[in-house]
Amino acid sequence: MSGPAADGGAAHTGRPADEQPDANGTAPADDTDAATGSPDDDESLAELGYKPELKRTLGNFHTFAAGISYISILTGTFQLFYFGVSHGGPAYWWSWPMVFCGQLMVALCFCELAARYPVAGSVYNWSKQLGGPHVGWLGGWMMMTATMVSLAAVALAYQVTLPQISSFFQFVGDGSGQTDHAANAVLLGAVLVLFTTLVNAFGVKLMAQINSAGVAIELIAALALIVLLAAHITRPPSALTETYGLAEGQSLGYLGAFLTACLASAYVMYGFDTASSLGEESKDPGRNAPRAILRALFASFLIGGLILLFALLATPDLHAKELSVDGLQYVVLSTLGSTMGQIMLWCVVIAITVCALAVHTAGIRLAFAMARDTNLPAASLLARVSPRFQTPVAPAVIIGCIALGILLLNINQPQIFSVITSIAIIMIYVAYLMVTVPLLVRRLRGQWEPAEGKFSLGKFGLPVNILAVLWGTAMATNLAWPRPEVYNATGPQHWYLRWGAFLFVGIVAVGGFTYYWFVQRKRTCVLAGHAAETPEEAADRTTSDDEADDPEDPAATSSS
């Protein structure tokens, strides 16, 4: 498979404008692969029709940290443990390995694509290359909408943890009012979104440093939490088979309860593609991005699974009401004591912070990638790379502002916001399907070739791809199922909330695609300042350079 400029990749220098050869054809002394990446790093970009613009500064741990911070073990487990226990009892734990196995099939497909096309806005560009511009735009649109809602949802997680550390953080009321928690969540979340906006606007290096430091703290804290919880185990592993009669009233028996409870795991284990979305800013991304994707997913599965396991076996009372309200926060504080518990909760705050930072970063790269193809309004502004910070600044600010606007929905209507948040996860699973389904079609037609000498599934590619599509379809359906406990958990029952997944996803998909079909598709093309050099342009430039360097050339002599 090749793009419009595949033949021009080898001729392109891959250097920013300030690192091009001078008038005598001499490159700067510090022009190394570590600074800008080797020419091989940029061949895949040229094949897609783009020139390299973002500075390659990220190493192995940076890309791994980006993937694992988006998944965010502590954020997801602490935010959703209560939901899983409430609807599935201790046996809900088995949903964790189930979701991991399904997502592993998707991740393996992504690894092949990351090795072949390590490019910003990975899901958008992959779906475009595999399924065409229409599929690509819809996949990118769904992913970008979901990312902005997810940023707001992650920011709200501050409210779950900070007031439990100290009542000082309950700035709105005393927490007893009907809307105190929701309004305070907006205030705390707004501070976090402002922070992620500023960090992302000031460049990828600062973002990577903060993110990597935060991930290191999160991993150390998670491992310490595993050891501490394991030291307080009070019941045997057989407790993981307890369902506590939750099958009663379910049309499918306990299976129905389990399918609801497994959303707590499905809401956590995604976003590993972020490691590849930073491909244009990573060193040797064709090899490092697939490794980072798998490492992030495996680390999240092992560490998160052990935290949930030992929490269920160590909690003082599996029937405690607090377990279904405060979740892991209750387990940590009641099991480890106030001092150690609060230390762990501060680590959770750090995890939430870097998770929001990673989600924001992924959204920026996606917006930049779509704008570079003139596939968003104000494309030239959104695709502009700051010469000072070497990062797209406008998308950072705009996504931050939209996330703040979404946060405001939570002030007096927290139930509506919870519906939108759940739907955002569905749209991410749907966006993943817009990659795995076209990839499967390509495989069946014999049109898919992995990158030579890099990650490849070989003969397992077809069965893994089939399982990825089946899993994604089944989980998207399960996520969208009109359950009252998910889409209308409190207050009066409304049909539009129960069917909110189908309504919201339908409006976003149909409305967005209608706009694309009648307005945006007519403008789609790579912006001139971002397009890769054609073979003719490369030949003309080489000829001009040779003439300028030729001492026998009269023009060159006179100009000197």
Side-chain angles (χ1 to χ4, degrees):
M1 189 189 309
S2 61
D7 296 331
H12 190 67
T13 64
R15 300 173 181 154
D18 59 348
E19 293 178 12
Q20 292 291 344
D22 58 23
N24 297 317
T26 304
D30 62 347
D31 183 23
T32 62
D33 287 351
T36 61
S38 66
D40 288 343
D41 293 337
D42 300 324
E43 287 182 359
S44 57
L45 284 181
E47 185 175 347
L48 294 170
Y50 309 127
K51 70 177 183 181
E53 299 175 85
L54 305 176
K55 190 173 183 180
R56 295 190 184 277
T57 58
L58 306 184
N60 291 349
F61 185 77
H62 293 135
T63 52
F64 161 75
I68 201 169
S69 60
Y70 197 121
I71 299 173
S72 193
I73 309 157
L74 293 183
T75 301
T77 54
F78 272 78
Q79 196 172 12
L80 293 162
F81 179 79
Y82 84 94
F83 184 89
V85 173
S86 299
H87 296 289
Y92 113 87
W93 182 86
W94 296 101
S95 68
W96 191 261
M98 181 192 77
V99 171
F100 165 73
C101 291
Q103 292 296 76
L104 178 60
M105 300 299 104
V106 178
L108 288 171
C109 292
F110 282 10
C111 285
E112 273 198 337
L113 288 161
R116 185 77 172 83
Y117 302 115
V119 61
S122 49
V123 167
Y124 159 70
N125 272 303
W126 294 343
S127 57
K128 181 185 71 174
Q129 284 296 114
L130 297 169
H134 301 80
V135 174
W137 190 90
L138 188 57
W141 170 248
M142 299 282 278
M143 193 73 181
M144 189 169 63
T145 305
T147 298
M148 290 185 291
V149 177
S150 295
L151 175 58
V154 172
L156 285 176
Y158 264 2
Q159 179 64 27
V160 181
T161 304
L162 282 174
Q164 293 206 42
I165 295 175
S166 171
S167 59
F168 169 79
F169 294 106
Q170 183 63 44
F171 297 106
V172 180
D174 58 3
S176 60
Q178 186 176 3
T179 61
D180 285 1
H181 289 289
N184 198 67
V186 172
L187 179 60
L188 295 176
V191 173
L192 178 54
V193 171
L194 178 62
F195 171 76
T196 62
T197 301
L198 291 173
V199 170
N200 274 298
F202 280 111
V204 70
K205 189 173 183 179
L206 176 62
M207 181 281 299
Q209 289 173 340
I210 295 175
N211 193 56
S212 297
V215 166
I217 294 172
E218 180 178 5
L219 291 175
I220 293 170
L223 293 174
L225 182 59
I226 289 171
V227 173
L228 292 171
L229 289 174
H232 289 80
I233 288 178
T234 59
R235 58 184 58 83
S238 59
L240 297 180
T241 61
E242 296 289 342
T243 62
Y244 293 164
L246 291 168
E248 296 179 8
Q250 294 281 346
S251 58
L252 298 177
Y254 183 71
L255 177 61
F258 181 79
L259 289 175
T260 301
C262 78
L263 301 187
S265 299
Y267 282 4
V268 178
M269 225 175 295
Y270 68 93
F272 38 80
D273 57 290
T274 306
S276 59
S277 198
L278 294 171
E280 293 183 41
E281 296 152 276
S282 306
K283 302 170 187 175
D284 196 11
R287 289 182 172 81
N288 290 334
R291 297 170 188 165
I293 289 172
L294 291 180
R295 287 170 182 167
L297 185 60
F298 272 95
S300 300
F301 164 66
L302 291 172
I303 297 174
L306 290 175
I307 288 175
L308 296 176
L309 171 64
F310 293 139
L312 289 167
L313 300 183
T315 185
D317 183 7
L318 280 173
H319 295 278
K321 179 182 178 182
E322 294 86 350
L323 199 64
S324 298
V325 177
D326 298 326
L328 266 181
Q329 285 85 342
Y330 159 75
V331 177
V332 169
L333 292 172
S334 62
T335 303
L336 306 183
S338 177
T339 301
M340 184 57 68
Q342 287 199 4
I343 292 174
M344 285 296 167
L345 292 185
W346 274 116
C347 293
V348 174
V349 172
I350 293 173
I352 294 169
T353 303
V354 295
C355 178
L357 189 59
V359 172
H360 201 156
T361 301
I364 292 167
R365 271 58 193 173
L366 182 59
F368 167 76
M370 294 186 71
R372 184 169 54 181
D373 285 348
T374 328
N375 266 333
L376 289 176
S380 58
L381 174 64
L382 293 172
R384 185 180 302 156
V385 177
S386 167
R388 180 179 178 184
F389 302 117
Q390 295 184 302
T391 191
V393 175
V397 176
I398 292 172
I399 290 174
C401 290
I402 293 174
L404 288 174
I406 296 172
L407 274 175
L408 295 177
L409 289 174
N410 196 59
I411 292 180
N412 294 316
Q413 298 290 340
Q415 182 167 264
I416 292 178
F417 186 86
S418 66
V419 171
I420 295 176
T421 303
S422 300
I423 292 166
I425 312 301
I426 299 171
M427 289 196 292
I428 290 175
Y429 277 78
V430 171
Y432 283 1
L433 279 171
M434 292 188 179
V435 175
T436 55
V437 170
L439 179 59
L440 178 59
V441 173
R442 292 272 181 154
R443 288 188 197 277
L444 293 173
R445 292 176 177 175
Q447 297 174 337
W448 170 247
E449 293 183 6
E452 186 176 351
K454 297 180 183 178
F455 186 93
S456 173
L457 293 173
K459 63 182 180 181
F460 297 104
L462 182 59
V464 166
N465 204 156
I466 291 173
L467 289 174
V469 171
L470 292 175
W471 163 257
T473 304
M475 187 49 64
T477 303
N478 186 38
L479 286 164
W481 203 257
R483 299 179 178 90
E485 55 266 38
V486 176
Y487 295 105
N488 209 159
T490 60
Q493 298 295 303
H494 299 289
W495 70 270
Y496 53 85
L497 291 178
R498 287 279 297 274
W499 292 91
F502 294 95
L503 289 173
F504 191 88
V505 174
I507 290 171
V508 170
V510 175
F513 196 75
T514 299
Y515 165 77
Y516 169 76
W517 184 262
F518 289 104
V519 178
Q520 204 63 52
R521 71 184 179 96
K522 301 172 184 178
R523 306 172 182 173
T524 298
C525 64
V526 180
L527 288 171
H530 303 265
E533 242 178 0
T534 64
E536 294 77 11
E537 290 171 339
D540 290 343
R541 178 177 52 77
T542 302
T543 302
S544 299
D545 289 344
D546 290 343
E547 290 175 352
D549 293 341
D550 187 356
E552 302 299 326
D553 181 32
T557 304
S558 62
S559 65
S560 61

